Structure formats: C-alpha cells, structure tokens
Amino acid sequence: MKIIALILSIFTTFIVANSDIEILKKAKKANLLPIPNTKIELLKIINNQKNPSTDAKIELGKKLYFDPRVSKSNLISCNTCHNLALGGADGVSVATGDKWHPNPHHLNSPTVYNAVFANYQFWDGRSTTLEEQVKGPIQTQFEMAMHKDILPSKIKNIIGYKEEFKRAYGPNVKITFKLITDTIAIFERTLITPSRYDDFLNGDFKALTPKEKDGLNTFIDLGCTRCHKGIALGGFTQPFDTGKRYKYRNIGDFHGNKNHLVKTPTLRNIKETAPYFHNGMIWNLKDAIKEMGKIQLLLGISDKDAQKIETFFGSLSGRKPKIKYPILP
Ligand code: HEC
Ligand code: HEC
C-alpha cells in the first residue's frame, strides 16, 4: 500500500509541477515579468543613473513627499492623493486639490506604487521619468498650486531642511526646484511592492493557489497581456475605446493624447485602488474587467471568467515597503 501511495504522490507532484511549468512558460511568452528577487537586478531597474540614490536622499525625499508645505496652501502633500496607506491612491473618483478644486478633466489619481516600472507617466503618457513627472503636480493650479521659484526659498527657510539637504548633498548644496523634485523622485523609486505573483514568476510554484493560476491562465488566454505586460502589467500607451465605446467616455473630456493613446495603468495592487479607469467611474473590479473585455478586446467576458481574473488579481496585492511616518523639520 505504502509503495502505491508513494508512486501516486510522485506522479501527482510531477503532473502539478508540469502544469506549473507550462503556465510559467506561457506567462514569460506573454511578456509577464517579475520584480527581480535579487537586489542587484532590482537596482539596475529602479535606479536612475542621472539621479543617483543614497539612504540620506531617500529619507529626505520621503519627508518632502509627506510635507503639505510643498503646496501653496500648506495643506496638500503628494500623500493626499497618493496615500501610501491606501494603495498609493486616494479612493475617490476625481482627484481634488488646491481650494478643493476637482481635476477639471475628471481624472482619477493613479497609484504611485510601482510607477517606477512604467515606461510612461500620466494618463496620456506625457512624461517618461518620475523626475520629469513630479514637476507637474507641484505647480498645477488644481493640485498643489506652488510656484516653482517660490518653493526653494520656502524650503530653505525651514532650518531643518537646510541641514538635511547638506547631509544628503554636501555642505555646498544649492536648493533648487529641480533638486527638490529629483529628491522626491528618488523616494518614489523605492515604492515597489513584490507580491506572490512575482514569487511564482521567480519560480516558487506554491506561491499561487490553483484558482489564482487558473485566473492567470484566463488573463493570458483572453489577450489582456497584449497591453498589461512587463513588470508593471501596464505602463505603455495604447489606443483606448476606438472600436466599442467606453460606457462613461463622456464623463470628463479626456480621450488620450493627440493620437488618442492612453497609458495602460499598472494592475499591481488593483484590489486596493478602486475606483477604476481614468475618470474613476467604475467601482466594481469585475465590472472593470468586463468593460475592458468589451472595449479593448471586443469580447463578452462571462461572470465566471471575470471571477477567475479577479481571483488572480488578488495575488497582485504586494508587500508594501515599511514606511515610518516622518516627523517633518
Ligand atoms: C490633487 C491630487 C494630487 C496631488 C496632490 C498629486 N497628484 Fe500625482 N497624480 C494625480 C492625478 C490626477 C494624476 C493623473 C494626472 C494626469 O494624467 O494628467 C497623477 C499622476 C501622478 C503620477 C503618474 C502615475 C501614473 O501611473 O501615470 C505620479 C508618479 C504622481 N502623480 C506622483 C505625484 C507626486 C510625487 C506628487 C507630489 C509632488 C503628486 N503626485 C501630487 C493627483 C495628484
Ligand atoms: C489594447 C490594450 C488593452 C487590453 C487588451 C486590455 N487593457 Fe486593460 N486597460 C488598458 C488601458 C489603456 C486602460 C486605461 C483605460 C482608461 O482608464 O482610460 C486599461 C485599464 C484597465 C483596468 C483599470 C485599471 C485602473 O487602475 O483604473 C483594468 C482592471 C484592466 N484594464 C483590466 C484588463 C483586463 C482584465 C483585460 C483583459 C480582459 C484588459 N484589461 C485588456 C489597455 C488594455
């Protein structure tokens, strides 16, 4: 009996391992890439050689990220709309900034977690680096409304910051708008969230449940990976609602860049970042999955398949970096 049980267990292990290998191969073929699990490989991707990182710069960037004094009103920080305790987003349909102004294009705040892995930033993909991106929200009237010439003197007048900039950049540092924004970008480059999905792609077959593997399979089979691919599961610009129309296309006036391309959002931590789509009009994740099928793939996705994909999406909720809320200078 024992021998039969042993043979059976070897046999089933072999079958499971074999189908796991098949899914892994298929995922790699569909250009799904893990967050690297070695520090050297990871740093190659997240570090920007033109804006090199150190621990002191990361710490200073974190303070600036959480500091509402970076805004004109002294009330709004990056963390107001990209709340690191709320999946890196804000949980409302329309971003709301200075003087309680809603975004005039009815745009939703995307997550900052894993933004470093995207090739393009903003819904229309108008920036290619975080360093360039961060200059936008600080100055935008309906976001932080801060003048770029005023911010450096405001920061210099806070004695503690002067000291911290010296510690990070040396005694002769000149605090400029660019240095402030580059420092925030250095902190943003650390906001990555490896998940069980990455563990699976890195070869730990037990990291996903059988249902999640089934969902991953469905996600690939239906063609979602045509656009949601790479480490970010997105981050490239794509045509949007050119065939079938998006149900809420007339809420706000955003229809992509001049070529009608829209930045494909990351799907990492997607369960934490409702509401969905550029105008934040869809709250239910299954509805978002079905809407995607309809407009991007001209497919009617069944409840069952939408459920499978949603189950797979659970594995994209990542391990957040441990962030100690900073006491500001
Ligand atoms: C009032 C809310 C608000 C504030 C404050 C704000 N953002 Fe944003 N952020 C948004 C919105 C809305 C977008 C999308 C705008 C667009 O595409 O035009 C965005 C886009 C981004 C993106 C691009 C993400 C992607 O997937 O395309 C990053 C990165 C980002 N913000 C970082 C920051 C940083 C850093 C700060 C602080 C300096 C900041 N934001 C302040 C609302 C805000
Ligand atoms: C042709 C490219 C393309 C394909 C194929 C595609 N997507 Fe998307 N996806 C996008 C773009 C672009 C957006 C952003 C649309 C917007 O908000 O304007 C998006 C948005 C989403 C969102 C909302 C994300 C958020 O944070 O708001 C989800 C969820 C999603 N897609 C899931 C899927 C699933 C599941 C499939 C397969 C059934 C799929 N997508 C197929 C390009 C694509």
Side-chain angles (χ1 to χ4, degrees), residues 76 78 81-82 96 107 110 122-123 126 133 137 143 188 263:
I76 298 161
C78 306
C81 302
H82 304 286
T96 303
L107 290 178
F122 289 115
W123 285 106
R126 65 187 177 278
Q133 193 284 331
E143 292 184 343
E188 288 181 275
K263 202 279 278 286

Side-chain angles (χ1 to χ4, degrees), residues 150-213:
I150 296 175
L151 181 60
S153 42
K154 195 170 172 186
I155 294 292
K156 268 184 244 170
N157 283 328
I158 301 169
I159 296 184
Y161 267 131
K162 228 166 136 180
E163 290 308 312
E164 295 226 11
F165 269 94
K166 279 188 191 159
R167 211 172 304 143
Y169 291 98
N172 300 322
V173 61
K174 213 170 159 267
I175 302 175
T176 60
F177 182 70
K178 182 170 183 298
L179 194 66
I180 294 168
T181 51
D182 277 355
T183 309
I184 297 177
I186 284 176
F187 171 62
E188 288 181 275
R189 289 178 176 280
T190 67
L191 299 175
I192 62 165
T193 70
S195 67
R196 290 187 292 108
Y197 161 78
D198 298 290
D199 300 340
F200 178 79
L201 292 184
N202 282 321
D204 174 5
F205 293 144
K206 292 212 181 71
L208 296 187
T209 65
K211 283 192 170 165
E212 286 167 343
K213 287 174 196 167

Side-chain angles (χ1 to χ4, degrees), residues 64-65 70 76-82 90 94-98 101 103 105 107-113 115-116 118 120-126 129-130 133-138 142-144 181 184-185 188 254 263-266 278:
L64 294 163
Y65 184 93
V70 171
I76 298 161
S77 72
C78 306
N79 198 60
T80 305
C81 302
H82 304 286
D90 51 16
V94 189
T96 303
D98 193 57
H101 277 313
N103 183 292
H105 310 288
L107 290 178
N108 174 256
S109 308
T111 178
V112 278
Y113 280 123
V116 63
Y120 295 92
Q121 308 292 334
F122 289 115
W123 285 106
D124 62 359
R126 65 187 177 278
T129 62
L130 290 171
Q133 193 284 331
V134 58
K135 294 176 183 157
I138 297 180
F142 46 83
E143 292 184 343
M144 298 168 89
T181 51
I184 297 177
E188 288 181 275
F254 177 78
K263 202 279 278 286
T264 306
T266 181
H278 66 266

Side-chain angles (χ1 to χ4, degrees), residues 247-266:
K247 195 168 169 188
Y248 300 105
R249 88 181 312 256
N250 294 325
I251 307 291
D253 59 0
F254 177 78
H255 300 295
N257 66 16
K258 65 179 188 323
N259 299 318
H260 303 287
L261 300 178
V262 176
K263 202 279 278 286
T264 306
T266 181

Side-chain angles (χ1 to χ4, degrees), residues 24-316:
L24 189 61
K25 268 197 202 151
K26 197 162 156 182
K28 297 245 150 106
K29 210 167 150 213
N31 289 313
L32 295 179
L33 298 169
I35 295 179
N37 57 2
T38 66
K39 205 167 173 186
I40 297 177
E41 289 305 310
L42 178 66
L43 291 180
K44 269 192 216 159
I45 297 170
I46 64 173
N47 273 355
N48 175 355
Q49 295 194 347
K50 288 190 197 139
N51 185 25
S53 171
T54 62
D55 288 347
K57 292 183 199 172
I58 294 173
E59 202 47 37
L60 176 55
K62 177 171 89 177
K63 289 187 174 157
L64 294 163
Y65 184 93
F66 278 101
D67 198 334
R69 291 167 299 178
V70 171
S71 71
K72 183 179 177 188
S73 64
N74 292 335
L75 286 172
I76 298 161
S77 72
C78 306
N79 198 60
T80 305
C81 302
H82 304 286
N83 192 320
L84 299 181
L86 290 173
D90 51 16
V92 295
S93 290
V94 189
T96 303
D98 193 57
K99 297 192 180 144
W100 213 245
H101 277 313
N103 183 292
H105 310 288
H106 210 286
L107 290 178
N108 174 256
S109 308
T111 178
V112 278
Y113 280 123
N114 307 297
V116 63
F117 297 123
N119 286 26
Y120 295 92
Q121 308 292 334
F122 289 115
W123 285 106
D124 62 359
R126 65 187 177 278
S127 289
T128 52
T129 62
L130 290 171
E131 282 74 10
E132 200 185 319
Q133 193 284 331
V134 58
K135 294 176 183 157
I138 297 180
Q139 301 180 72
T140 302
Q141 283 309 312
F142 46 83
E143 292 184 343
M144 298 168 89
M146 172 54 86
H147 198 289
K148 77 190 256 288
D149 297 336
I150 296 175
L151 181 60
S153 42
K154 195 170 172 186
I155 294 292
K156 268 184 244 170
N157 283 328
I158 301 169
I159 296 184
Y161 267 131
K162 228 166 136 180
E163 290 308 312
E164 295 226 11
F165 269 94
K166 279 188 191 159
R167 211 172 304 143
Y169 291 98
N172 300 322
V173 61
K174 213 170 159 267
I175 302 175
T176 60
F177 182 70
K178 182 170 183 298
L179 194 66
I180 294 168
T181 51
D182 277 355
T183 309
I184 297 177
I186 284 176
F187 171 62
E188 288 181 275
R189 289 178 176 280
T190 67
L191 299 175
I192 62 165
T193 70
S195 67
R196 290 187 292 108
Y197 161 78
D198 298 290
D199 300 340
F200 178 79
L201 292 184
N202 282 321
D204 174 5
F205 293 144
K206 292 212 181 71
L208 296 187
T209 65
K211 283 192 170 165
E212 286 167 343
K213 287 174 196 167
D214 193 26
L216 169 58
N217 217 5
T218 309
F219 181 73
I220 300 171
D221 283 347
L222 291 182
C224 309
T225 50
R226 263 173 46 204
C227 306
H228 296 282
K229 60 187 173 186
I231 297 182
L233 290 147
F236 307 92
T237 53
Q238 299 290 343
F240 177 66
D241 99 329
T242 45
K244 282 248 175 38
R245 295 302 197 193
Y246 167 45
K247 195 168 169 188
Y248 300 105
R249 88 181 312 256
N250 294 325
I251 307 291
D253 59 0
F254 177 78
H255 300 295
N257 66 16
K258 65 179 188 323
N259 299 318
H260 303 287
L261 300 178
V262 176
K263 202 279 278 286
T264 306
T266 181
L267 297 177
R268 289 182 176 274
N269 303 302
I270 189 78
K271 290 204 124 182
E272 296 157 47
T273 60
Y276 304 112
F277 287 79
H278 66 266
N279 52 11
M281 288 304 291
I282 296 187
W283 286 84
N284 179 289
L285 188 49
K286 266 204 249 5
D287 291 346
I289 293 167
K290 286 185 177 175
E291 188 68 10
M292 265 288 129
K294 186 185 99 190
I295 52 188
Q296 296 299 74
L297 294 161
L298 309 180
L299 270 183
I301 295 184
S302 66
D303 279 334
K304 207 171 139 205
D305 280 349
Q307 180 59 58
K308 284 183 185 175
I309 293 176
E310 184 177 354
T311 301
F312 159 61
F313 282 175
S315 75
L316 300 174

